[in-house]
Amino acid sequence: MNCPHAVAHEAASAGATVVIDPMVQDLDGETARLRDAGPLARIELLGVPAWTVTRHAEARQLLVDPRLVKDIDAWGLWQSGAVTHAWPLIGMIDAGRSMFTVDGEEHRRLRTKTSQAITPRRLEAIRPDIEKFTEELLDALAEQGKDGVVDLKSVFAQPLPMRVVGMLMGVEESEHAMLTKKYKAFFSMLTPHEERMALLAELDVFYAELVREKTARPTDDLTSALILAEEGGDPLTEEEVVGNLKAMVAAGHETTIGLILNAVRALLAHPDQLRKVLDGAIPWETVIEETLRWDTPTTHLLMRFATEDIQVGDNVIAKGEGVVISYRVIGRDVEQHGPDADAFDITRPTPIRHMTFGHGPHICPGAALSRVEAGIALPALFGRFPGLRLAVPDEEIRKLPVMTQNDMEAFPVLLNG
C-alpha cells in the first residue's frame, strides 16, 4: 500500500476524520464520536480513508442505491494501487466471488440459490435440533459451572450457532472447533496479515473439498442444496458455492454469538427489565429486537463503492470512494429511536424498527435463523438458571480486537447467583 496516511490526510480535508480503533478499546466512545460527526462521517481504517453512514434514514437510502456497489474494482484506491493485498483488512472485502461481493443480476442469481436452501420451512424443520443442541450445551454449562465461574461464551453461546450452521451445511461436528478457531483468528486484528491471508486460503481449501464431497454424494444440507439448485439461472460454480459458504458460516455463527451474549449482558445490567421478561410481561422477541438495535452484533460492515458521485444531504460521496455501514451507530440514531437511543429499554412504547441485519438487496439471508436460535437459547438459559449473574464487574468484560464484529473475549458467569 502506497503512503496510506498521506491518502487519509487528503481525504480528511473535507471534514474531521474519526479514526476507527482496531483494538476496540472504547466502542461506546467511538459510537458517540461517529454519531456526532453527522449522517456521513469521514473515517480512517488502518490508514485508509472512507465514508461511513451513521443514521437510519441515510443508511436506508444508500443501501438501495444501485450506484453503491460491492465490486472492489469500483474502488478508486484499489484501481490506483494505493490499496493492495498488503492492507490488513483486504480479506474482508476481496473475499472471493459470492452473493456478498457482487451486485445486480449476478447477486440475485447467487442469492436465489441460497434462498432455496434457507427457507422458513427448513428453519421450522430444524427447530427441534436447535432445542436439542441448546439443552445439551446447558447440561455442559451446568456441569462446568457447578463449582463456580464458567465462561458462557465458550461453553454455550459460541458452540450453539456453530453446531446449527454446521448441521445446515453438512459439516461434521469434529470440524466445528477448527472452523471456529480459524474464523476467530481471521477477524482478530492481533493476527499477522500474512497469517490472516493464509487462513483465508485454508478456508477456501476446506470448503472446496466439502463441495466436491457433496457433489459426489449429496445429502439433505445447505451445501448440497446450493450445488443442486436449478432455479435462478445457471448452476453455481464451485468458486461461487465456496464463496457463499465461507461468508455464510462467518455471518451465521458470529452474529448469533453476539446477539446471545449482548442480550444476556443487557438483561443482567437491567434486573428490573429481566424480571418483566421472566414474569412473562415482556416477550423474548422484544428482548431480541431491542438488543439488535442497541448493541448490534455487527459493528461496521465493510465496504461498498460509489460508481458515480452520490449526494447525501450536504455531502457528496465521490465516484470511487468507499462507504462503510456502521450498524452500531445507526442503532443509536436519536432521530430514529428517540433521545434515549443510548438506553437499553424493552418497554419502549413504539415498535423497535432497526436495520441491524441490513436493508435492500444485500439484507442478511441468515437473519431469521439468528432470531430463531436466540429465541430458543435465551429463554432456555434463563429458565434453567434464573439466578444467572456476571462473575466480574460489567466494566471488566473486554472486547475482542475485531473491527467488524461486536465480540467479547469471554463472559464469566455464576449460574446460581
Side-chain angles (χ1 to χ4, degrees):
M1 187 162 56
N2 300 324
C3 303
H5 293 287
V7 175
H9 178 75
E10 180 181 349
S13 63
T17 297
V18 178
V19 178
I20 304 301
D21 179 13
M23 296 295 107
V24 196
Q25 296 299 303
D26 181 17
L27 188 55
D28 284 341
E30 180 180 278
T31 296
R33 288 190 295 276
L34 287 169
R35 185 173 59 186
D36 291 345
L40 283 178
R42 282 289 194 183
I43 60 172
E44 182 184 321
L45 295 164
L46 299 181
V48 170
W51 291 100
T52 191
V53 58
T54 67
R55 291 189 189 166
H56 187 98
E58 284 79 5
R60 283 180 65 91
Q61 170 191 340
L62 288 171
L63 289 173
V64 297
D65 194 320
R67 298 171 296 175
L68 205 61
V69 302
K70 289 293 197 79
D71 184 359
I72 192 173
D73 289 332
W75 192 11
L77 295 178
W78 180 256
Q79 293 171 346
S80 69
V83 172
T84 70
H85 278 109
W87 186 48
L89 297 177
I90 196 64
M92 299 179 195
I93 301 173
D94 188 26
R97 182 177 174 76
S98 75
M99 66 178 176
F100 299 92
T101 58
V102 298
D103 303 281
E105 288 299 327
E106 280 300 281
H107 171 259
R108 282 186 284 276
R109 171 178 162 268
L110 297 182
R111 189 181 177 94
T112 295
K113 307 294 187 181
T114 305
S115 299
Q116 294 170 27
I118 308 180
T119 63
R121 179 178 295 181
R122 182 180 286 262
L123 291 183
E124 278 306 305
I126 67 170
R127 181 179 287 273
D129 295 294
I130 301 174
E131 292 170 346
K132 174 176 175 287
F133 296 157
T134 298
E135 289 304 314
E136 290 174 353
L137 291 170
L138 288 176
D139 289 343
L141 192 69
E143 177 64 25
Q144 295 192 37
K146 63 184 180 181
D147 296 322
V149 178
V150 60
D151 179 16
L152 186 67
K153 178 181 177 179
S154 64
V155 181
F156 181 70
Q158 183 169 279
L160 176 61
M162 182 54 81
R163 275 196 188 185
V164 174
V165 77
M167 177 189 66
L168 277 172
M169 290 172 45
V171 175
E172 295 293 333
E173 191 169 335
S174 59
E175 305 280 13
H176 294 178
M178 175 274 294
L179 284 175
T180 299
K181 182 178 180 181
K182 287 187 184 297
Y183 277 109
K184 289 298 178 189
F186 173 75
F187 285 113
S188 174
M189 298 311 301
L190 297 178
T191 302
H193 180 58
E194 295 77 11
E195 183 179 333
R196 182 181 295 109
M197 298 307 290
L199 285 166
L200 200 60
E202 290 167 12
L203 288 169
D204 283 336
V205 170
F206 172 81
Y207 289 118
E209 291 176 351
L210 178 66
V211 170
R212 289 165 195 161
E213 175 188 334
K214 297 296 181 180
T215 300
R217 291 175 295 277
T219 53
D220 184 21
D221 54 55
L222 185 149
T223 304
S224 300
L226 286 174
I227 295 166
L228 298 173
E230 296 179 353
E231 298 178 13
D234 295 333
L236 299 188
T237 66
E238 179 180 292
E239 178 193 5
E240 290 168 340
V241 176
V242 167
N244 273 8
L245 293 175
K246 183 170 58 177
M248 288 168 63
V249 175
H253 81 281
E254 290 285 353
T255 299
T256 308
I257 294 169
L259 172 54
I260 292 172
L261 291 179
N262 292 344
V264 173
R265 186 180 189 182
L267 289 172
L268 295 183
H270 300 83
D272 55 330
Q273 298 188 48
L274 174 59
R275 177 48 51 196
K276 287 182 171 64
V277 180
L278 296 182
D279 289 345
I282 304 279
W284 283 103
E285 290 82 359
T286 302
V287 174
I288 290 168
E289 297 310 313
E290 176 67 351
T291 301
L292 287 168
R293 177 201 72 80
W294 182 70
D295 205 11
T296 58
T298 299
T299 310
H300 307 291
L301 188 65
L302 281 53
M303 189 183 295
R304 287 168 167 81
F305 311 101
T307 58
E308 59 183 83
D309 291 357
I310 302 173
Q311 183 85 37
V312 182
D314 296 331
N315 295 302
V316 175
I317 303 170
K319 178 181 178 179
E321 290 189 313
V323 179
V324 172
I325 313 299
S326 289
Y327 283 113
R328 193 175 194 272
V329 191
I330 292 166
R332 303 291 185 95
D333 179 6
V334 295
E335 294 188 8
Q336 174 68 19
H337 302 292
D340 63 343
D342 283 330
F344 177 81
D345 184 5
I346 58 175
T347 68
R348 291 180 180 276
T350 56
I352 302 163
R353 293 191 174 93
H354 62 79
M355 56 187 306
T356 295
F357 287 118
H359 178 64
H362 283 280
I363 192 169
C364 177
L369 175 62
S370 189
R371 286 184 167 106
V372 168
E373 290 179 69
I376 292 171
L378 290 169
L381 173 66
F382 281 99
R384 179 84 75 96
F385 307 111
L388 182 78
R389 69 176 177 87
L390 271 173
V392 298
D394 182 86
E395 58 269 21
E396 292 185 15
I397 299 293
R398 293 180 57 83
K399 296 289 186 184
L400 282 174
V402 177
M403 295 181 73
T404 52
Q405 278 88 251
N406 183 2
D407 203 353
M408 309 172 195
E409 288 183 0
F411 198 81
V413 297
L414 293 167
L415 299 179
N416 298 303

